[in-house]
Amino acid sequence: MNRTENISNNSARLTIALCGNPNSGKTTLFNVLTGSNQKVGNWPGVTVEQKTGFYKQDKGVAIVDTPGIYSLSPFTVDEQVAHDYLFGGKPDLIINIVDSTNLERNLFLTTQLAELDIPMVVALNMLDEAEQKGIHINTDKLQRRLGCAFFSISAAKNIGVDGLMKYCITQKPAQRIPLRYLARTESTLNAMMSTLNVPNKRWTAIKILERDKNFIKSVKTDISKAQSIADEYFRQNPSLSSTDIAEQRYAQIEKIVSDCRTLAVRNVKENARRITDKIDKIVLNKWLAFPIFALIMTIVFYVSVGGLGEWLSGLISERLTPFLQQTVSGWLKSANAPWLSSLVVDGIMAGVLSVASFVPQIMLLFGFIAILEASGYMSRIAFITDRLLNKIGLGGKSFVSMILGCGCTVPAIMATRTIKNIDERNATITLTPFMPCSAKMAIISFFTAKLLGGNAIVAVSFYFVSIVAVILGGLILKVLHRKKNSANDTFLMELPVYRMPAPLNIIKQMWERGKAFLIKAGTVIFTASVLLWLLQSFDWQLHMVDADRSMLASIGKTIAPLFIPLGFGHWQFAVATLTGIAAKETVVTTLEILISEGMLASYVSPLGAYCFVIYNLLTIPCVASISASFTEQGNAGNGLLSMVFQLSIAYAVTLVLYQAGSLAVKHTAIFIITGCCMAIVLVLCLSVRYLAKHKGCNYNCSHCPHRAECAKK
Ligand code: GDP
Ligand code: MG
């Protein structure tokens, strides 16, 4: 959790809320202002709850980063967070961050914010990009039209930010001028406002006129008079619908934009998207999209988990760790206390260093994920997977969570707040922990290097098994929910233009992830290592004994039989699956402490090792993630069901893999023949289905009952 998250802003003399569309640069500005390191990304859904920090140059000013919203009508949990904050948290001032390269769309929210009773200043962000694209915005004209002050800034390049803040802190923001609608609408609004006794009168009247049921329900005071005026308005103008105000708003924005913006090149708007469209033509192509995606992800994991990452990790585990252990062991010899040397060298150092050696791989993986996010490709991944995921009751937004889950399950679970459909959201929370988080990557690398021939393809295969588990889990959940229709959370994520990732941002995110991992190694893993050492060094009578007769061994031996059918029946492995609940890295730590160097292969076969990794990838996640799952599902029953589900899938998938794998090893020929037979049966089934579909029409589409479908294809 980030240090800025829970800071109370009660002590602040001035509270400023950063509001704007997703991707407009709110978090980037927040980081510049507070010196914090919140996650930024070129895709919506990165910030899902508000974060508070203090302005670096004046600690009396609190800055609140809110999730991105397109309008003030909330649809999803994160939009609700932003909405509730504005209406309930009462910031003293709003800085509305606007993407200057996308003025029309961003001004929709700006004009809505201007209708609230909260002072506002508008920051026209991405000045650098706008200049590059030949877009010039006349801030004076905008100021005259909308009343509030407009500042051109670049949050990423820290241009114009000081001027903006100086104005916010020292000047009293001018009165805003809300949009003027048509005369008939204005007079109705005025009549409604005179009957209302609520804050944000104009906004409330507009919402009543827009017949926004959720908003109307949330108003606590009597608004019946205003509602009858609205009803009368629609009676007198029967051709109007509840979208009338939005239409008038758009028309006005169009006029304002054409008055206040000049484009250096004709058709610059199209030019701005030209390169993006060119790239999208290839990466979103019907046939190329998935191969390109698979290729990119394989390269990412190949370089970070195998290749370079493995080489760097090897330097730490093979050179640095033995050197440090020998040095410390030498120092402790003089203390003449073998137990101390055992605790420090075999317990703490073996545990902590075994985990620390994975830092390079984790940092590399995060560097790649940060590049994919910042460039805008991550939104495309969500887009191309949306239709596919719909088939298993999930959507593109679930995929965003899954990708975040490759880093850490906790923020991934929180990112599900952008999902509107409750079933889809709970399913995503249950399935996201199947993705190999950075801690599980430690398990993958450890076993790949020690028992699976260091083969990077094997390492990548774990990611594919995780994806298969997500698909399988999604299908089962869909059947359990008996959903006739697939996910109905319409995919509304916009595809941002491609941007060159800022190297400094990438390095910052890599550093943050590496640091978080090291801090965990220094705290949770340190404590777990000490505890494990104690449990494996003493028996229940607290006598120092061999590991085989220790407390840990007796716990492990009780549950170990459960894992025999999965291929890892030794008690050390049983214990490792349990300690993994504290933090997944502890699985590796436990085995390093319990099994002497070089002896691992005598405890488990390569197939058993593979299955052990799979079981740990799919079983219940660490406590932090379990707690996030309970909180986000808002219901202990659902949280528990998720855990039972994860445990069952982990057990079933591993059981099938091990048993099928053992058969394949023993009876390779029979296995290949059975596999071929199954493939033939599958092809036959598909052909029969195809023929049945086209039966009686001789493939002549004009007679086929499915011709409409075919025509679409
Ligand atoms: P948020 O969704 O509003 O919080 O937006 P973020 O702060 O996460 O930024 C979205 C993307 O815009 C990131 O890739 C940023 O690096 C990029 N960005 C933010 N501010 C600027 C800017 O002033 N210029 C440019 N070129 N990119 C920016
Ligand atoms: Mg953000």
Side-chain angles (χ1 to χ4, degrees):
M1 289 284 115
N2 202 291
R3 68 195 159 87
T4 49
E5 230 159 69
N6 295 317
I7 299 174
S8 146
N9 53 356
N10 292 342
S11 54
R13 135 178 81 77
L14 178 71
T15 301
I16 301 178
L18 306 182
C19 300
N21 283 189
N23 257 338
S24 53
K26 298 174 296 298
T27 305
T28 309
L29 181 62
F30 177 84
N31 288 346
V32 170
L33 296 178
T34 61
S36 132
N37 248 329
Q38 293 293 338
K39 197 165 167 49
V40 290
N42 192 10
W43 49 312
V46 177
T47 311
V48 287
E49 60 175 19
Q50 78 232 17
K51 306 256 158 62
T52 307
F54 290 98
Y55 182 37
K56 269 191 306 195
Q57 299 180 23
D58 182 346
K59 296 287 177 197
V61 179
I63 314 281
V64 181
D65 181 21
T66 62
I69 43 176
Y70 291 109
S71 79
L72 277 182
S73 311
F75 285 113
T76 60
V77 181
D78 62 326
E79 284 173 355
Q80 190 72 47
V81 167
H83 178 271
D84 291 352
Y85 176 70
L86 287 180
F87 283 84
K90 294 197 192 76
D92 301 308
L93 175 73
I94 293 173
I95 296 185
N96 171 216
I97 324 285
V98 162
D99 174 355
S100 325
T101 64
N102 217 330
L103 204 55
E104 290 96 333
R105 201 203 55 212
N106 282 244
L107 283 187
F108 190 78
L109 177 69
T110 309
T111 56
Q112 289 195 326
L113 290 171
E115 272 150 359
L116 301 183
D117 292 342
I118 309 169
M120 177 168 77
V121 173
V122 181
L124 297 170
N125 191 29
M126 318 252 180
L127 173 67
D128 53 326
E129 229 176 80
E131 276 176 354
Q132 227 176 36
K133 291 174 179 167
I135 300 171
H136 177 75
I137 298 169
N138 189 329
T139 47
D140 292 338
K141 266 192 189 169
L142 271 175
Q143 191 153 338
R144 260 176 272 140
R145 293 294 289 267
L146 290 167
C148 46
F150 279 75
F151 286 83
S152 287
I153 67 160
S154 166
K157 305 225 155 118
N158 199 353
I159 300 170
V161 176
D162 289 343
L164 165 75
M165 286 310 286
K166 199 169 158 209
Y167 176 86
C168 292
I169 294 171
T170 55
Q171 306 280 315
K172 196 167 173 287
Q175 196 60 44
R176 286 147 299 118
I177 309 167
L179 287 187
R180 293 279 148 216
Y181 300 105
L182 297 177
R184 58 161 194 255
T185 318
E186 278 301 329
S187 61
T188 308
L189 284 177
N190 286 334
M192 289 166 79
M193 279 158 69
S194 64
T195 69
L196 289 170
N197 185 19
V198 289
N200 298 313
K201 272 190 191 151
R202 186 173 171 87
W203 177 247
T204 308
I206 289 173
K207 286 277 105 182
I208 296 172
L209 208 54
E210 284 184 335
R211 299 192 155 154
D212 184 331
K213 283 192 196 115
N214 286 339
F215 183 86
I216 292 171
K217 248 192 268 164
S218 71
V219 181
K220 300 281 179 288
T221 52
D222 180 24
I223 52 168
S224 53
K225 278 188 197 150
Q227 276 176 307
S228 8
I229 298 174
D231 291 344
E232 184 55 33
Y233 174 74
F234 285 113
R235 249 195 306 277
Q236 283 176 10
N237 303 287
S239 60
L240 294 184
S241 72
S242 53
T243 56
D244 176 43
I245 295 243
E247 282 158 21
Q248 291 194 42
R249 197 189 292 279
Y250 273 123
Q252 291 236 32
I253 290 170
E254 211 170 292
K255 253 175 69 196
I256 296 177
V257 172
S258 71
D259 281 356
C260 304
R261 186 182 63 184
T262 46
L263 307 173
V265 191
R266 257 183 84 226
N267 287 337
V268 77
K269 205 172 127 206
E270 288 89 63
N271 281 347
R273 284 207 77 94
R274 207 187 46 206
I275 300 174
T276 291
D277 289 346
K278 266 191 186 157
I279 301 176
D280 276 347
K281 257 199 190 126
I282 302 168
V283 302
L284 297 182
N285 175 285
K286 199 166 138 192
W287 304 107
L288 293 178
F290 277 101
I292 291 177
F293 167 52
L295 182 73
I296 291 180
M297 291 323 267
T298 307
I299 293 174
V300 165
F301 289 118
Y302 199 91
V303 174
S304 50
V305 184
L308 181 63
E310 196 184 358
W311 180 74
L312 289 170
S313 286
L315 281 189
I316 298 182
S317 62
E318 281 154 30
R319 302 270 164 87
L320 188 68
T321 304
F323 169 75
L324 288 176
Q325 279 181 316
Q326 273 165 17
T327 315
V328 174
S329 172
W331 290 341
L332 292 176
K333 246 187 201 144
S334 51
N336 212 6
W339 68 268
L340 184 66
S341 170
S342 164
L343 169 66
V344 176
V345 179
D346 304 331
I348 298 170
M349 289 185 77
V352 172
L353 288 172
S354 67
V355 167
S357 68
F358 301 111
V359 169
Q361 287 167 316
I362 280 152
M363 286 176 72
L364 277 174
L365 181 64
F366 260 82
F368 279 117
I369 291 185
I371 291 173
L372 291 183
E373 283 176 5
S375 63
Y377 184 65
M378 200 67 100
S379 304
R380 271 76 187 174
I381 297 180
F383 178 76
I384 57 177
T385 52
D386 185 57
R387 255 185 61 186
L388 209 67
L389 285 170
N390 264 229
K391 293 194 184 2
I392 58 167
L394 305 177
K397 285 178 181 167
S398 316
F399 197 78
V400 171
S401 283
M402 307 276 168
I403 293 280
L404 279 178
C406 289
C408 176
T409 313
V410 177
I413 287 180
M414 290 178 45
T416 59
R417 291 181 183 189
T418 54
I419 301 171
K420 201 166 39 167
N421 180 305
I422 190 78
D423 281 340
E424 184 187 332
R425 183 162 181 239
N426 286 346
T428 310
I429 293 175
T430 307
L431 299 175
T432 297
F434 288 161
M435 295 311 286
C437 65
S438 53
K440 288 177 185 166
M441 201 172 97
I443 310 177
I444 294 179
S445 311
F446 178 81
F447 276 94
T448 309
K450 301 255 165 169
L451 290 177
L452 301 168
N455 191 333
I457 296 288
V458 174
V460 173
S461 76
F462 288 116
Y463 286 86
F464 284 100
V465 175
S466 300
I467 293 168
V468 172
V470 169
I471 296 172
L472 183 71
L475 285 173
I476 296 175
L477 285 180
K478 197 177 163 187
V479 173
L480 289 181
H481 285 149
R482 285 197 195 86
K483 270 197 275 173
K484 303 261 176 338
N485 304 315
S486 46
N488 52 9
D489 186 1
T490 338
F491 192 65
L492 274 177
M493 180 188 275
E494 109 202 66
L495 295 178
V497 289
Y498 287 105
R499 293 204 169 94
M500 205 52 164
L504 206 64
N505 253 336
I506 307 292
I507 292 168
K508 257 190 198 168
Q509 289 196 35
M510 287 169 76
W511 165 242
E512 280 297 307
R513 182 53 60 180
K515 195 172 80 181
F517 196 77
L518 275 176
I519 290 173
K520 205 158 146 202
T523 51
V524 181
I525 315 286
F526 174 88
T527 318
S529 303
V530 173
L531 262 177
L532 273 174
W533 181 84
L534 286 173
L535 286 170
Q536 65 125 16
S537 303
F538 294 90
D539 63 12
W540 295 104
Q541 282 77 41
L542 300 183
H543 298 130
M544 205 163 177
V545 289
D546 283 345
D548 214 29
R549 289 185 290 128
S550 64
M551 291 183 254
L552 202 58
S554 74
I555 299 171
K557 282 171 185 166
T558 314
I559 54 165
L562 283 175
F563 297 113
I564 295 173
L566 309 193
F568 46 93
H570 279 283
W571 67 265
Q572 290 87 342
F573 288 86
V575 168
T577 61
L578 282 187
T579 54
I581 299 172
K584 289 292 160 187
E585 301 90 331
T586 322
V587 171
V588 174
T589 312
T590 307
L591 294 175
E592 282 280 277
I593 294 174
L594 294 181
I595 296 176
S596 346
E597 183 68 37
M599 296 303 288
L600 196 64
S602 59
Y603 283 79
V604 70
S605 65
L607 176 63
Y610 192 88
C611 291
F612 178 71
V613 178
I614 295 290
Y615 179 80
N616 280 290
L617 293 189
L618 305 184
T619 190
I620 46 175
C622 65
V623 273
S625 312
I626 294 175
S627 135
S629 159
F630 272 69
T631 321
E632 293 299 318
Q633 296 195 66
N635 171 334
N638 280 348
L640 269 177
L641 277 180
S642 291
M643 285 171 71
V644 172
F645 186 79
Q646 287 151 351
L647 211 53
S648 317
I649 290 275
Y651 199 88
V653 169
T654 318
L655 182 71
V656 170
L657 259 181
Y658 183 69
Q659 295 302 331
S662 306
L663 269 180
V665 172
K666 262 191 226 150
H667 311 283
T668 316
I670 298 178
F671 206 78
I672 292 175
I673 294 169
T674 319
C676 291
C677 289
M678 280 166 74
I680 293 170
V681 171
L682 187 72
V683 170
L684 279 176
C685 287
L686 289 176
S687 314
V688 169
R689 217 180 120 195
Y690 181 80
L691 289 174
K693 212 170 164 182
H694 291 267
K695 196 179 156 196
C697 72
N698 296 329
Y699 311 107
N700 181 344
C701 282
S702 61
H703 300 292
C704 177
H706 301 284
R707 61 181 177 277
E709 253 170 67
C710 288
K712 259 189 228 159
K713 280 179 205 153

